Amino acid sequence: MSSGPGAKLKDVAALAGVSVGTVSNVLNRPEQVSVDKKSRVLAAIDQLGFVRNESARSLRSGSTRSLGMLVLDVRNPFFTDVALGAENVAEDHKHSLILANSAEDTGRELAYLDLFEQQRVQGVLITPFGQVLERLETMRARGIPSVLVDRLARTDQFCSVSVDDVAGGATALTHLLSVGSVRPAFVGGPFTLQQVEDRYRGAADAAEAAGVSLQLFETPDLKFERGRQIGDLIGNLQPDKRPDAVFAANDQLALGLLQSFAANGLRVPEDIAIVGFDDIDFASQSSIPLSSISQPRHLIGERAAQLLFDEIDDENGHVHSQVVFTPELVARQSTRRHTPAITQHG
Amino acid sequence: MSSGPGAKLKDVAALAGVSVGTVSNVLNRPEQVSVDKKSRVLAAIDQLGFVRNESARSLRSGSTRSLGMLVLDVRNPFFTDVALGAENVAEDHKHSLILANSAEDTGRELAYLDLFEQQRVQGVLITPFGQVLERLETMRARGIPSVLVDRLARTDQFCSVSVDDVAGGATALTHLLSVGSVRPAFVGGPFTLQQVEDRYRGAADAAEAAGVSLQLFETPDLKFERGRQIGDLIGNLQPDKRPDAVFAANDQLALGLLQSFAANGLRVPEDIAIVGFDDIDFASQSSIPLSSISQPRHLIGERAAQLLFDEIDDENGHVHSQVVFTPELVARQSTRRHTPAITQHG
DNA sequence: CCTTTGTAATGAATCGATTCATTTGTGAAC
DNA sequence: GTTCACAAATGAATCGATTCATTACAAAGG
């Protein structure tokens, strides 16, 4: 198990007194090797500290045991959770997952796709940022299939795993109404983001169905700071013109609103209720625990990886499918119904 | 730029009417190739959609352009930030970074080290969990050096990049005293974690130097839930026996405390001040922004990668060094001095 | 005109494991 | 005793790029 650097298959074979083919068989088809030779080989491997050279293995065998995964932001726990789900499945298939970060940068996105191709990964999980579908098609033509994650494939050329943002938006707004809101508002943007668009549409439709109008605060991004800014704006409105509940397009914005309201002396949920989207860890860890719409992150990663292996293993018979999960409400204190009889202190 | 799968160097050479050696030169030493042949080769590459096979490249050249990085928890933004810093440096060296997650599991840790060895990465950045130093030594003997991240190397056999937790602890406690605390407490554990031990020691020493006693609430882990639990415990103490300020060993704990205090009607910082450690994003995004001790995460990753390349590039002349950063206080509302004259509302 | 020098280009050998057609060995069946 | 079937083991060919010793050619110098 110790010894000098660079022992190779040949050395192991020599020490064990067998052929290189046999050593390779011990590694790859142990059931075809007699017990005594197998143990001699294993002993030799141990003694020499032999580590198989993966480059050589995959060059000859034509298959790397790895998948590539390209996400928009590794710092975002949503994506790391999805990645962990995918990694679980990859592990079951004895593959490893190479995680890369496009950081919402077209150049980086293409560079990593190049890298994945050079590494000859068996398949790619990707949340696309730029216009890469065509590129992904040519990659598939060259034998590297891909699955879209957190994006609905509009064509039937791809498998995809996503979440029904329209339904999520509807759920959020219905919840606000159910806890007594009569002047709800939506905070989020830009509407060029499909997910923002969908979440808003779901909420707007639900409001209309209930005969309530939905106020709109459009933002250029979904960041915390922006939430604080909009929160200050809302806090300065006359109490009778101020929304009594807010649906924020994601939790970052919602946390920004929450901080601003706390600073401006607005009570949550008594003066104004808040529901976010994503249910990141910190939603539940906020001083006033934040209600949110939760996506099955781990499951998204798992399903995506399963679909990918499905295509890898059955190149021809595979039919693409679109998996759409319905997100669920997690109600917490930020939308607790305010019962006037019992004034809450906490 | 498109076309069928699997074009190889040989095909490119044939199409361009040159030898394979020349094509390889275009890829690796373009300055040694005449302009016209170079352009013909590039045209052929484009036409065939040739993508170089990285396995073959690294098998022959004996060098993979990649580093391995093994962290305790990819979900923790601290580690992703460190990884991004390391990735920047790797990129400058035209290397890619393979990020893996030991998830504080000895088995996974060893499995990934195996994987890195098989992949023949050029070097490893690691925050060790189990007893792997010996293993890392044999890896180095086989040509794969490593640098310890967020851990001080006790031997001079390794480079390491870490943070002075003792100093950080002292800073935290001194700060609490400076904003008027007379009954400070420390929350954290287990003390088998070096970092907890160090942070406590720093704080305890600072307290002693100031002639103040430091109350200790020891915890079996550093998670949010635990913080809430301890928070409830503290909240139930008699006001005159209750600490007037808490230093939490990390921000997760601190956020748990914060939530508990809010729920129990304790005002922060008026009734009790809180300072955390790590300065994660959500420290500043909490309803009551949390003071914290900030570590230069990005810089830690950069320095670690630089040290690693230093050893990779200069195998022999390299001398190991220990880089220790001093963390800095970021004071926010959770430790704002309470001036009795002006009662704060926000 | 011959030699020298230097730049471009060539292509066979090579990296280390896997594969597979072939050989060896063993026991059963006739 | 010969044949057959089957399992175990062999080792040469192979994957696709890189490397490097060698060749080709042109320009410069004498």
Side-chain angles (χ1 to χ4, degrees), chain A residues 120-149:
Chain A
R120 299 292 193 273
V121 297
Q122 300 297 104
V124 171
L125 299 170
I126 180 173
T127 302
F129 176 70
Q131 309 300 317
V132 289
L133 290 189
E134 211 172 312
R135 171 70 193 277
L136 294 175
E137 300 256 28
T138 62
M139 282 179 65
R140 163 172 301 127
R142 290 180 195 150
I144 304 181
S146 44
V147 169
L148 308 187
V149 177

Side-chain angles (χ1 to χ4, degrees), chain A:
Chain A
M1 103 126 176
S2 62
S3 209
K8 17 181 148 172
L9 210 53
K10 200 170 53 172
D11 304 324
V12 175
L15 180 59
V18 300
S19 71
V20 292
T22 299
V23 178
S24 177
N25 283 336
V26 170
L27 261 37
N28 302 302
R29 317 173 177 68
E31 73 285 357
Q32 293 189 14
V33 181
S34 67
V35 195
D36 65 325
K37 294 220 165 174
K38 185 155 47 188
S39 65
R40 267 159 58 198
V41 168
L42 291 175
I45 286 177
D46 200 49
Q47 187 179 335
L48 293 174
F50 166 79
V51 178
R52 89 126 93 30
N53 184 321
E54 177 64 19
S55 295
R57 208 215 100 252
S58 56
L59 171 59
R60 176 61 237 241
S61 74
S63 123
T64 61
R65 304 195 152 293
S66 61
L67 302 183
M69 177 161 193
L70 192 46
V71 301
L72 298 182
D73 180 11
V74 271
R75 295 201 32 171
N76 185 332
F78 172 82
F79 288 114
T80 43
D81 280 347
V82 174
L84 288 174
E87 192 197 23
N88 279 356
V89 174
E91 202 167 8
D92 292 346
H93 288 246
K94 299 187 180 309
H95 279 234
S96 58
L97 186 76
I98 304 175
L99 184 60
N101 182 27
S102 70
E104 308 200 354
D105 175 317
T106 312
R108 286 177 62 98
E109 183 172 44
L110 292 175
Y112 274 115
L113 288 178
D114 283 350
L115 190 68
F116 287 161
E117 264 197 291
Q118 290 174 197
Q119 313 234 85
R120 299 292 193 273
V121 297
Q122 300 297 104
V124 171
L125 299 170
I126 180 173
T127 302
F129 176 70
Q131 309 300 317
V132 289
L133 290 189
E134 211 172 312
R135 171 70 193 277
L136 294 175
E137 300 256 28
T138 62
M139 282 179 65
R140 163 172 301 127
R142 290 180 195 150
I144 304 181
S146 44
V147 169
L148 308 187
V149 177
D150 198 33
R151 283 278 185 287
L152 178 65
R154 294 188 203 162
T155 80
D156 56 357
Q157 296 298 99
F158 288 94
C159 283
S160 70
V161 179
S162 59
V163 157
D164 187 343
D165 284 300
V166 176
T171 302
L173 204 97
T174 304
H175 174 60
L176 290 182
L177 298 180
S178 82
V179 296
S181 171
V182 294
R183 274 200 314 281
F186 176 89
V187 177
F191 279 78
T192 48
L193 287 180
Q194 189 63 43
Q195 309 188 324
V196 172
E197 166 71 23
D198 288 351
R199 289 168 195 181
Y200 175 68
R201 182 187 314 280
D205 289 354
E208 191 175 346
V212 171
S213 76
L214 179 64
Q215 198 173 349
L216 170 64
F217 294 87
E218 189 172 349
T219 62
D221 61 58
L222 295 168
K223 298 188 177 145
F224 175 83
E225 276 303 330
R226 199 65 65 178
R228 237 180 38 181
Q229 185 179 319
I230 299 289
D232 290 347
L233 192 151
I234 290 176
N236 285 331
L237 294 176
Q238 299 295 334
D240 58 324
K241 314 203 79 176
R242 189 202 295 146
D244 59 2
V246 181
F247 167 31
N250 78 353
D251 283 344
Q252 301 284 345
L253 277 179
L255 290 171
L257 292 168
L258 206 54
Q259 190 183 77
S260 161
F261 293 161
N264 291 324
L266 277 187
R267 292 169 309 161
V268 175
E270 291 83 352
D271 296 328
I272 189 163
I274 306 180
V275 60
F277 208 111
D278 286 347
D279 192 28
I280 61 178
D281 284 350
F282 293 94
S284 63
Q285 302 182 357
S286 179
S287 295
I288 295 165
L290 180 69
S291 298
S292 191
I293 305 294
S294 170
Q295 314 187 40
R297 293 171 273 193
H298 207 265
L299 209 51
I300 290 172
E302 284 183 1
R303 284 301 275 127
Q306 283 162 356
L307 290 174
L308 187 56
F309 278 116
D310 204 65
E311 182 164 359
I312 291 170
D313 294 339
D314 181 16
E315 203 168 335
N316 306 313
H318 177 81
V319 286
H320 297 304
S321 62
Q322 272 68 49
V323 175
V324 178
F325 287 106
T326 303
E328 288 183 359
L329 171 74
V330 182
R332 299 199 181 89
Q333 190 181 336
S334 73
T335 56
R336 192 139 298 161
R337 177 191 286 281
H338 177 54
T339 4
I342 307 162
T343 307
Q344 257 178 285
H345 288 291

